[in-house]
Amino acid sequence: MSKRILFMGTPDYATRIFEELVGSSYEIVGLFTQPDKPVGRKQIITPPHIKQYCLDKNLNIPIFQPEKLKANEDAKKQIEDLTPDFIIVAAYGQILPREILDIAPCINLHASLLPKYRGASPIQESLLNDDAFTGVTSMLMEEGLDSGDILGWQYLKITPTMEVAEAFSKLSDIAAKLTITTLDNFDKIEAKKQNESEVSYCKKIKKEYGEVNFSSAKKLHLKYKAYSYWPGVFLNSGLKLKDIELVEINSLNKEAEILEILEDSIIIGCLKGSLEIKTLQAPSKKAVNVVDYIRGKRLDKGDILN
């Protein structure tokens, strides 16, 4: 008889893992995800990515969207009534309280090599810190934040040009396969305690984290790689910088000086290093090619971009 899985997750990272489970021999008995939320300027009520996937695929799986799990007797009873053998959690967005953790083994797929980067933004943090590797950890959940015993790891090499969207995609695929491996071998796995001396944390990303300046080409490029999906990187003026490549990290320049104008890009100097930029977006305007932008502003080689 196939094992019964209750899945808890919200964004596309979770959807990829969920999709793997849907196509597996395991029986998905329910989905817990965050409530529908208003999105965009028109504040259109929009379901989470994983719920929309279920609707698009016409999956006959019960969907639950409680505002909170803590001290929620209805949610607890709904889960108990589903009689899951395992609860799989991936980027759900809520910490599970003890009364739910006690219902069935809860396995979290966290997108870092724990105990590094416990918390809300591990993928972005690994890019910000220019790590050589990141990965996914499957772990038994407890009441602490990403502090449970480790069931398995899978590594991902970070390439010099890897941006957050590519990292998310590759880690989602890794997490999907690791979920099945963990479930298939659960009875044989000897869980390992995390090394508390190596713990680090990362926070939920705020829009203001995307503000940059031209002091260091390398630091700006790392921020771009981490935040290119959201919130993007932008100057104090609100001008968004897009399609950025690191040219070099050693030259000394005036901050934000236009060093060279190419066919469809410009080279910008930083106090240390230089960058190639292809696209700019002024506040409340559409993104445009950088050469068109600087021509419209009558900027030339030697001028300052701000």
Side-chain angles (χ1 to χ4, degrees):
M1 191 172 176
S2 64
K3 297 286 187 181
R4 296 167 61 84
I5 306 294
L6 171 62
F7 193 88
M8 295 183 167
T10 300
D12 46 357
Y13 170 78
T15 306
R16 176 67 191 89
I17 300 166
F18 183 75
E19 182 182 21
E20 192 80 10
L21 281 165
V22 167
S24 75
S25 62
Y26 294 94
E27 180 187 0
I28 300 179
V29 296
L31 168 66
F32 271 66
T33 189
Q34 296 285 54
D36 297 359
K37 290 182 179 175
V39 172
R41 289 182 184 176
K42 294 185 179 179
Q43 294 290 279
I44 296 169
I45 301 299
T46 305
H49 191 280
I50 196 167
K51 179 182 175 182
Q52 189 61 55
Y53 170 83
C54 291
L55 297 174
D56 291 344
K57 298 290 185 181
N58 293 312
L59 297 179
N60 187 25
I61 294 170
I63 299 174
F64 306 87
Q65 297 177 272
E67 290 283 349
K68 64 183 182 76
L69 290 180
K70 192 173 182 180
N72 185 336
E73 284 299 318
D74 289 341
K76 182 186 173 212
K77 185 174 188 311
Q78 286 164 345
I79 295 170
E80 287 174 335
D81 289 347
L82 292 169
T83 61
D85 294 302
F86 293 97
I87 299 173
I88 300 292
V89 184
Y92 175 46
Q94 295 190 46
I95 292 176
L96 273 59
R98 168 54 57 194
E99 59 266 24
I100 289 174
L101 292 170
D102 287 341
I103 294 172
C106 297
I107 300 171
N108 180 230
L109 280 300
H110 185 73
S112 82
L113 299 171
L114 289 170
K116 202 172 190 180
Y117 307 144
R118 293 178 182 175
S121 57
I123 299 176
Q124 292 91 336
E125 197 73 11
S126 65
L127 293 170
L128 272 179
N129 291 325
D130 201 21
D131 291 346
F133 290 90
T134 183
V136 178
T137 305
S138 64
M139 65 167 204
L140 283 171
M141 296 180 71
E142 57 181 32
E143 286 182 281
L145 178 65
D146 301 323
S147 58
D149 291 354
I150 292 168
L151 300 169
W153 282 294
Q154 185 70 47
Y155 287 81
L156 172 68
K157 180 173 175 55
I158 299 176
T159 63
T161 58
M162 185 179 288
E163 294 178 26
V164 65
E166 182 186 355
F168 259 101
S169 176
K170 289 183 182 298
L171 288 166
S172 299
D173 288 340
I174 288 170
K177 303 297 183 191
L178 184 58
T179 301
I180 302 299
T181 302
T182 302
L183 288 171
D184 286 351
N185 297 284
F186 184 79
D187 292 337
K188 295 178 272 184
I189 294 172
E190 187 176 330
K192 294 186 171 89
K193 295 280 182 195
Q194 293 189 37
N195 185 341
E196 293 296 321
S197 68
E198 295 178 358
V199 170
S200 60
Y201 292 93
C202 53
K203 298 177 182 178
K204 187 174 181 179
I205 295 166
K206 297 179 181 178
K207 186 174 181 180
E208 57 262 32
Y209 292 2
E211 185 174 334
V212 295
N213 58 46
F214 290 102
S215 58
S216 164
K218 178 152 190 189
K219 284 184 180 178
L220 193 155
H221 188 245
L222 290 174
K223 265 201 169 188
Y224 168 71
K225 292 203 316 176
Y227 297 149
S228 57
Y229 182 75
W230 190 89
V233 294
F234 48 88
L235 304 179
N236 183 257
S237 64
L239 183 66
K240 275 196 171 184
L241 315 176
K242 300 187 172 189
D243 300 327
I244 303 171
E245 292 182 19
L246 182 64
V247 177
E248 48 76 36
I249 60 173
N250 295 314
S251 66
L252 303 177
N253 311 284
K254 288 182 188 174
E255 196 168 350
E257 181 183 0
I258 300 172
L259 300 178
E260 199 172 344
I261 301 173
L262 305 174
E263 188 177 346
D264 66 348
S265 65
I266 63 173
I267 307 297
I268 289 279
C270 298
L271 292 178
K272 191 166 185 184
S274 59
L275 300 157
E276 182 177 1
I277 301 175
K278 291 185 178 179
T279 307
L280 295 175
Q281 184 175 7
S284 304
K285 304 282 186 181
K286 289 183 178 179
V288 296
N289 176 265
V290 66
V291 177
D292 294 336
Y293 178 87
I294 64 169
R295 281 179 182 150
K297 294 289 184 182
R298 299 188 178 179
L299 296 172
D300 209 337
K301 185 175 176 179
D303 290 332
I304 302 299
L305 180 72
N306 53 34

